[in-house]
Amino acid sequence: MLRKTLSDTGPAPGRDKPGPSNKPKRIDKAELYRRIRHDAETENLSMRALTRRHHVTGRTVKAALTNPEPPARKPLPRRPSAIDPVQHLIEPLIENGHRPTEIWTRLMDEHDVSISYGLIRLYVHNQTTR
């Protein structure tokens, strides 16, 4: 009763120190595959028991039991840049010796392109230092 009256006498509700998490720590996939194969060989566990123990899907367990190493990750496709749509306009201007400020101004005025000056400057710098 007194604790409710004097709100600053105890810890705020829900503000207790966090305890240890029940979530397993993340390990790299090669180590996970090794552990799954080890458990399957030494303890003769079923697929279902391996999925529960290692918190993975049956597909992962099957892959770990058939392949010694996990498959390599697929490379991500290149993300399009803001420069890509106007690159064909910028290249001739760089070849003619225009400075980034001039290129930016011409893109804005003549082609009605909205692009940052910093991006143009970086692109011109990268093209001229090659």
Side-chain angles (χ1 to χ4, degrees), residues 44-95:
N44 201 21
L45 296 175
S46 67
M47 289 262 299
R48 186 172 289 175
L50 289 168
T51 59
R52 279 191 300 247
R53 176 177 284 187
H54 295 285
H55 306 285
V56 294
T57 64
R59 181 182 289 179
T60 303
V61 171
K62 188 173 183 179
L65 296 177
T66 57
N67 302 319
E69 292 293 321
R73 292 189 64 165
K74 294 178 188 174
L76 294 174
R78 181 181 167 272
R79 289 183 10 195
S81 165
I83 289 284
D84 289 348
V86 293
Q87 190 173 5
H88 68 281
L89 300 171
I90 297 172
E91 290 296 330
L93 297 174
I94 293 173
E95 291 171 6

Side-chain angles (χ1 to χ4, degrees), residues 22-56:
N22 291 338
K23 289 185 176 180
K25 290 184 179 180
R26 289 193 64 116
I27 57 174
D28 68 322
K29 207 167 225 183
E31 175 65 16
L32 175 66
Y33 273 37
R34 189 193 65 74
R35 288 182 184 183
I36 290 172
R37 280 193 315 277
H38 177 266
D39 290 349
E41 292 167 2
T42 58
E43 299 180 33
N44 201 21
L45 296 175
S46 67
M47 289 262 299
R48 186 172 289 175
L50 289 168
T51 59
R52 279 191 300 247
R53 176 177 284 187
H54 295 285
H55 306 285
V56 294

Side-chain angles (χ1 to χ4, degrees), residues 2-13:
L2 188 57
R3 182 172 275 179
K4 289 182 183 177
T5 308
L6 302 172
S7 62
D8 61 344
T9 59

